[in-house]
């Protein structure tokens, strides 16, 4: 059973002093900032990369498709790594994988090297994403919505930095390979802090358990001990997975194609990167603000609908009026994407009171959702290949956002317990 383990077997002292809140927040932010730069850097450099490597649009889409698939699969495999390594070493090894994947892009003149390094980074990201949400709920149970907003904002903020700084670095003479590889540096900066902070988190039980073990240990008393896959057998789990995956496909398509799209309209790599960075900043601000605003009620549906409506408007603008107000459109789309991502993370955690169970559900949603989302850039590339235009792809994403709105209407918090009721003995 895929999911989260919030335990550790490394040598963290059980009597460690309570960690200051600001240091815990700093660790979450710095770790999370490293999870998206490798993904957003190639888009603004797309013309240079394609010219140097001969990559077509479909091949270029693999720089997003492969890591997102691995994010999904890797999130499900996180318990096995945690069982062998413990919490702290697992996250540190994951960060090392991200850093190594970025650094190896110095040898990325070959298209397959770029795809392979994207996969290595995606595998590292998957492990971190399979751990942090449940860990956040455990460590900050009374500020969970705000903390998930911070986590989501840092996620988008890292993407914004990369989208802006990567084309600048190339413009300053580093070359596109170095502009991709430089994102190994912030990983190296984060590693010592992550090792120190994660070794001092209080209240983490040992030994390490799989998500199945966690579910078994924390499910209601009427749950059979042998039934560890009950979350998989709940339709609500699959509804969350489908909704999150379809919604997140809009983010994947935007990361992959927004900059190349505007380069076909005569924009430079730096200009298109700045637009993607602006969109990512809007995502980060929305991811931080919207969950805090939505925390006043346990019913997040109106907020989700509002964010999806902004996505429909933004994708429709790209399809029909791309040159009318690109900056305003990027802001609208960014708010819709960032706010919706953070809200779905909160909604998944809302469904179950136990942090371990909620973490397992969140990991299931992310795992399958990222696999589904990975298809979106490839679909947009296929639509472009067959039509010779970007318009069908952007309209496709607008339609998907509208569909997710219909699915999300079912997330009534009064029915959470019923929808995820544990099986009877």
């Amino acid at each position: 059973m895929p999911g989260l383990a919030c335990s550790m077997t490394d040598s963290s002292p059980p009597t460690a002093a309570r960690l200051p809140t600001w240091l815990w927040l700093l660790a979450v932010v710095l770790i999370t900032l490293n999870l998206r730069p490798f993904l957003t850097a190639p888009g603004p450099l797309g013309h240079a990369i394609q010219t140097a490597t001969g990559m077509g649009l479909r091949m270029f889409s693999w720089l997003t498709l492969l890591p997102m698939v691995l994010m999904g699969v890797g999130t499900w495999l996180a318990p096995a790594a945690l069982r062998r390594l413990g919490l702290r070493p697992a996250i540190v090894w994951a960060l090392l994988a991200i850093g190594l994947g970025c650094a190896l892009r110095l040898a990325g003149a070959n298209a397959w090297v770029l795809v392979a390094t994207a996969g290595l980074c995606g595998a590292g990201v998957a492990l971190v994403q399979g751990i942090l949400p449940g860990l956040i709920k455990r460590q900050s149970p009374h500020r969970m919505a705000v903390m998930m907003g911070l986590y989501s904002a840092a996620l988008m903020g890292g993407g914004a930095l990369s989208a802006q700084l990567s084309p600048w670095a190339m413009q300053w003479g580093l070359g596109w390979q170095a502009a991709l590889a430089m994102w190994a540096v912030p990983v190296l900066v984060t590693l010592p802090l992550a090792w120190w902070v994660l070794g001092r988190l209080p209240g983490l039980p040992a030994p390490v358990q799989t998500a199945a073990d966690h579910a078994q240990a924390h499910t209601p008393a009427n749950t059979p001990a042998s039934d560890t896959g009950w979350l998989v057998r709940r339709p609500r789990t699959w509804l969350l997975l489908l909704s999150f995956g379809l919604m997140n496909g809009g983010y994947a398509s935007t990361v992959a194609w927004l900059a190349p799209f505007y380069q076909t309209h005569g924009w430079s790599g730096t200009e298109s990167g700045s637009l993607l960075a602006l969109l990512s900043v809007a995502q980060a601000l929305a991811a931080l603000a919207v969950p805090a605003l939505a925390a006043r009620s346990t019913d997040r549906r109106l907020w989700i609908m509002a964010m999806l409506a902004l996505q429909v408007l933004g994708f429709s603008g790209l399809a029909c009026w791309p040159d009318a107000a690109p900056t305003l459109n990027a802001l609208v789309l960014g708010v819709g994407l960032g706010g919706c991502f953070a809200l779905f993370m909160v909604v998944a955690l809302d469904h179950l009171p136990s942090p371990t169970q909620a973490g397992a559900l969140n990991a299931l949603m992310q795992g399958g959702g990222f696999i589904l989302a990975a298809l979106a850039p490839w679909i947009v590339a296929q639509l472009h290949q067959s039509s010779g235009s970007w318009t069908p792809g952007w309209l496709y994403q607008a339609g998907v956002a509208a569909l997710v709105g219909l699915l999300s209407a079912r997330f009534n918090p009064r029915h959470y317990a019923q929808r995820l009721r544990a099986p009877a003995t």
Side-chain angles (χ1 to χ4, degrees), residues 235-250:
R236 175 49 56 89
T237 301
W238 292 98
L239 179 63
L240 283 165
L241 186 158
L242 178 64
S243 300
F244 179 80
L246 290 174
M247 179 277 302
N248 216 40

Side-chain angles (χ1 to χ4, degrees), residues 389-413:
S389 170
W390 292 98
T391 301
W394 297 131
L395 289 177
Y396 162 78
Q397 291 297 168
V400 167
L403 173 61
V404 175
L406 295 176
L407 297 175
S408 300
R410 301 176 62 185
F411 296 141
N412 187 336

Side-chain angles (χ1 to χ4, degrees), residues 90-307:
I91 290 185
V92 168
W93 278 110
L95 289 172
L96 284 171
I98 297 169
L100 180 61
C102 291
L104 288 176
R105 288 181 158 181
L106 280 171
N110 182 284
W112 288 107
V113 171
L114 286 177
V115 172
T117 56
L120 181 59
C121 291
V125 169
L127 188 52
V128 178
Q129 290 183 167
I131 296 170
L132 272 185
L135 183 61
I136 286 170
K137 179 161 184 172
R138 178 184 291 278
Q139 294 304 123
S140 306
H142 304 300
R143 298 188 301 273
M144 187 267 294
V146 175
M147 283 296 297
M148 287 311 300
L150 181 67
Y151 165 83
S152 302
L155 205 66
M156 310 302 177
L161 284 173
S162 177
Q164 183 65 78
L165 296 182
S166 297
W168 279 359
M170 184 176 169
Q171 192 176 40
W172 295 335
L174 285 184
W176 65 266
Q177 290 164 277
L180 295 177
M182 70 180 188
W183 296 104
V185 175
V187 178
L188 296 177
V189 172
T190 302
L191 278 169
L193 178 67
W195 178 263
W196 192 86
V197 168
L198 292 172
R200 284 159 178 78
L201 290 180
L204 295 177
V208 168
Q209 298 172 305
T210 65
D213 296 331
H214 276 298
Q216 178 176 317
H218 294 84
T219 44
N222 65 340
T223 304
S226 60
D227 186 2
T228 58
W230 63 280
L231 281 174
V232 177
R233 294 193 293 272
R234 292 294 175 268
R236 175 49 56 89
T237 301
W238 292 98
L239 179 63
L240 283 165
L241 186 158
L242 178 64
S243 300
F244 179 80
L246 290 174
M247 179 277 302
N248 216 40
Y251 170 75
S253 293
T254 304
V255 165
W257 301 127
L258 183 68
F261 169 64
Y262 272 102
Q263 287 170 22
T264 64
H265 285 241
W267 292 41
S268 68
T270 302
E271 291 169 337
S272 62
S274 296
L275 188 67
L276 181 57
L278 179 66
L279 182 142
S280 298
V281 168
Q283 286 179 301
L285 293 175
L288 186 61
V290 172
L293 294 172
R296 298 178 182 180
S297 170
T298 57
D299 193 339
R300 328 281 185 183
R301 286 177 294 176
L302 285 178
W303 287 98
I304 291 176
M305 298 298 180
M307 296 302 104

